[in-house]
Amino acid sequence: MDWMTTLFLMGAGAVGGVINAVAGGATLITFPAMLQVGLPPVIANASNAVVIMPGHLIAVLADPGRWPPFDRRLGWLTAASLLGGASGALLLLWLPEALFTGPVPVLIAFATILFAFAPTIQAHQAEFGPRPVDTMTGPAMIGVSSIYGGFFGAGLGVILTALLSISVSQDIRTVNTNPH
């Protein structure tokens, strides 16, 4: 890799990091940057997911006062997210690359629209507060979202924040420390 490519990717990573720190959505910068330099789409997608994971982990560890209670519900949500994420990742690896690259523009558009409307969704939820979700509906919603995230990570944070704010809390910092 030449130094211009390295600088370009470092710049995209820095911009993505700032965007994630402020509002989330770094993948909307970093994934296209990886494609621009010639990485195959599936490799760019998987690399992007691996690269941003430490930031998510650090964000959760930095605010232990807002962790959800370690109870049965958290266990179900965690199991659903792990199973969904693994299923989405396996789907990504098993499908021919053409079946991944075909819907990528639609997935990026979907993630961008969610990202753009996230403040509206969050404001709406803050106004009405959390809604009780039965024992299996919450994990099912998280599991389906995690399949999407395992397959294509862009916008997953916005999707999970919206789902968790509906059923868990109106406090966005608490929502962001829940399992996703």
Side-chain angles (χ1 to χ4, degrees), residues 38 45 64 75 78 103 110 119 135 140 149:
N45 182 53
T78 301
F110 174 70
T135 306

Side-chain angles (χ1 to χ4, degrees), residues 34-58:
M34 290 182 186
L35 293 178
Q36 182 65 35
V37 300
L39 282 175
V42 173
I43 299 294
N45 182 53
S47 298
N48 192 65
V50 170
V51 167
I52 63 171
M53 189 273 304
H56 294 303
L57 180 61
I58 290 168

